């Protein structure tokens, strides 16, 4: 049994945890984020989850590189960089998370850049619809909205587009370019909530407003406090909905997580990040979590910055999976 007193109403077993370790960086241009899962595992995260929190682990203790899926040539398509690679890898990730989630297990994915959420959310959403007949809500904790359509993106990096593909705001008929994403894998925009936004592209602001997507920026957190923001976010989702928590470490201020690809000052404290994770756990509705964008190559102070980011990432996961202060 796990150490948490919270009963999860949507899982078959309280102690079974499916783990998917994704060493993939193709959704953006900076090397090193593919090393994120390995440094998290080497820091003892999985041991902490099994020995300290009581989880029985299934799936991966080794990191997938997906080298066999990467094409020799991968030209831009609709402005997207590495589209064939990202589509193929996220399709495989969707299969992996689906296999874990359909067994009624909590599903934890360690990334990797945030493009991998195309796969994690799609796989969990499909499994949840089949197993429970319910939609999955997604709480997206991030400095960035990641909801650019390909034609709206200035960079062409797909880690800025996953929510667009998952909600159907971006679609594609060609199988090899995300055409594999079917309706049963998609996310209902009314079941999406952002927390921690502070670096949002103009086109994304228009999308959020036009589609009425619930989003809490750092302004809201400063105004209301993290407790009230999380309360409002959960109220928007509803109390009887399975939750997928997708957490980008750049949601945290660089003071707490400097070793990440797109740091933005003025972010969450580690305590605020932990509080989000603790609160989602206490709903008893969490069915999946992603932790992404830990990049051990990018901190200015390699020794201190990398270790601070790893410690922060591990803390977030432990809090989401039931660690408490008392």
């Amino acid at each position: 049994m796990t150490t948490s007193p919270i009963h999860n109403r949507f899982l078959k077993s309280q102690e079974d945890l499916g783990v998917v370790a994704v060493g993939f960086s193709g959704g953006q241009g900076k090397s090193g984020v593919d090393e994120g899962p390995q440094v998290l595992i080497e820091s003892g995260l999985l041991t902490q989850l099994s020995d300290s929190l009581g989880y029985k682990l299934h799936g991966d203790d080794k990191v997938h590189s997906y080298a066999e899926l990467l094409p020799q040539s991968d030209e831009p398509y609709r402005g997207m960089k590495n589209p064939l690679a990202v589509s193929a890898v996220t399709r495989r990730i969707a299969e992996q998370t689906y296999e874990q989630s359909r067994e009624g297990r909590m599903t934890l994915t360690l990334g990797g850049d945030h493009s991998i959420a195309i796969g994690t959310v799609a796989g969990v959403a499909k499994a949840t619809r089949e197993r429970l007949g319910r939609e999955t809500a997604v709480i997206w904790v991030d400095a960035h909205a990641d909801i650019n359509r390909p034609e709206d993106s200035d960079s062409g990096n797909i880690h800025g587009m996953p929510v667009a593909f998952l909600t159907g705001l971006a679609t594609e008929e060609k199988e090899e370019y995300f055409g594999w994403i079917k309706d049963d894998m998609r996310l209902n925009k009314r079941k999406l909530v952002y927390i921690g936004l502070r670096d949002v592209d103009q086109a994304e602001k228009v999308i959020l407003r036009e589609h009425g997507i619930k989003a809490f920026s750092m302004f809201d957190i400063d105004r209301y406090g993290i407790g009230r923001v999380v309360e409002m976010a959960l109220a928007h989702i509803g109390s009887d909905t399975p939750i997928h928590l997708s957490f980008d470490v750049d949601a945290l201020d660089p003071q707490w997580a400097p070793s990440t690809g797109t740091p933005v000052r003025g972010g969450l404290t580690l305590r605020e990040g932990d509080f989000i994770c603790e609160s989602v756990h206490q709903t008893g509705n969490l069915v999946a979590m992603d932790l992404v964008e830990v990049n051990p190559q990018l901190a200015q102070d390699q020794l201190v910055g990398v270790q601070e980011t790893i410690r922060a990432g591990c803390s977030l996961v432990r809090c989401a999976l039931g660690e408490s202060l008392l």
Side-chain angles (χ1 to χ4, degrees):
M1 291 295 292
T2 66
T3 58
S4 173
I6 303 297
H7 177 77
N8 192 307
R9 71 195 74 182
F10 296 123
L11 301 179
K12 285 184 180 178
S13 170
Q14 301 299 299
E15 68 260 17
D16 286 318
L17 176 66
V19 180
V20 181
V22 178
F24 184 68
S25 61
Q28 49 83 66
K30 297 178 181 178
S31 62
V33 72
D34 51 313
E35 301 171 11
Q38 190 63 45
V39 297
L40 290 165
I41 292 171
E42 289 176 353
S43 74
L45 174 59
L46 298 185
T47 302
Q48 295 164 20
L49 298 179
S50 59
D51 293 357
S52 299
L53 297 184
Y55 282 97
K56 181 180 179 182
L57 305 185
H58 304 266
D60 300 333
D61 57 3
K62 294 184 179 179
V63 180
H64 295 275
S65 68
Y66 306 97
E68 73 281 4
L69 299 178
L70 304 182
Q72 291 184 346
S73 177
D74 200 354
E75 296 299 318
Y77 179 76
R78 292 175 58 187
M80 295 182 285
K81 296 176 180 176
N82 308 318
L84 292 174
V86 180
S87 179
V89 169
T90 54
R91 186 175 193 175
R92 177 66 59 83
I93 295 167
E95 294 168 356
Q96 293 175 284
T97 55
Y98 170 80
E99 289 297 324
Q100 296 297 336
S101 186
R102 75 171 183 173
E103 297 297 327
R105 298 170 183 156
M106 180 76 73
T107 303
L108 171 66
T109 305
L110 304 175
D113 71 66
H114 219 164
S115 72
I116 73 168
I118 296 173
T120 65
V121 173
V124 171
K126 179 181 179 181
T128 302
R129 282 187 171 96
E130 289 182 3
R131 190 170 64 87
L132 301 172
R134 295 174 182 266
E135 294 180 322
T136 304
V138 171
I139 299 177
W140 196 274
V141 186
D142 201 321
H144 312 90
D146 297 344
I147 199 169
N148 272 307
R149 291 165 297 208
E151 292 77 13
D152 296 328
S153 173
D154 291 331
S155 70
N157 292 327
I158 300 176
H159 76 159
M161 307 177 194
V163 183
F165 279 104
L166 289 166
T167 56
L169 290 169
T171 58
E172 174 57 51
E173 292 185 1
K174 293 183 179 180
E175 193 90 354
E176 67 271 28
Y177 293 114
F178 304 103
W180 57 267
I181 304 174
K182 306 304 180 185
D183 287 346
D184 61 350
M185 300 177 172
R186 294 201 189 276
L187 167 64
N188 185 336
K189 293 185 287 292
R190 294 190 298 274
K191 293 291 185 179
L192 168 64
V193 181
Y194 287 100
I195 298 177
L197 296 181
R198 60 190 183 278
D199 186 13
V200 182
D201 294 342
Q202 186 58 42
E204 294 179 306
K205 292 179 182 179
V206 173
I207 288 173
L208 295 177
R209 291 167 182 162
E210 286 185 347
H211 293 274
I213 294 171
K214 182 65 71 174
F216 296 97
S217 69
M218 289 306 302
F219 171 84
D220 299 303
I221 293 168
D222 292 340
R223 181 178 183 181
Y224 298 111
I226 192 63
R228 179 62 180 141
V229 164
V230 172
E231 183 180 314
M232 290 188 288
L234 293 174
H236 177 77
I237 288 171
S239 61
D240 198 30
T241 303
I243 296 173
H244 187 142
L245 176 64
S246 197
F247 206 120
D248 186 326
V249 293
D250 74 21
L252 301 180
D253 189 88
Q255 174 184 354
W256 303 102
S259 197
T260 188
T262 48
V264 185
R265 294 177 65 183
L268 299 167
T269 66
L270 177 57
R271 182 65 212 125
E272 288 172 329
D274 283 347
F275 179 84
I276 294 168
C277 296
E278 291 164 340
S279 299
V280 173
H281 175 79
Q282 288 187 350
T283 66
N285 295 343
L286 183 66
V287 296
M289 181 186 185
D290 314 325
L291 182 74
V292 300
E293 299 284 0
V294 172
N295 189 328
Q297 291 189 14
L298 292 182
Q300 290 183 342
D301 184 330
Q302 278 287 299
L303 182 61
V304 175
V306 172
Q307 289 305 313
E308 284 296 317
T309 307
I310 292 170
R311 277 196 289 268
C314 290
S315 180
L316 295 169
V317 173
R318 292 196 308 269
C319 288
L321 296 183
E323 183 177 79
S324 60
L325 294 177
L326 296 176

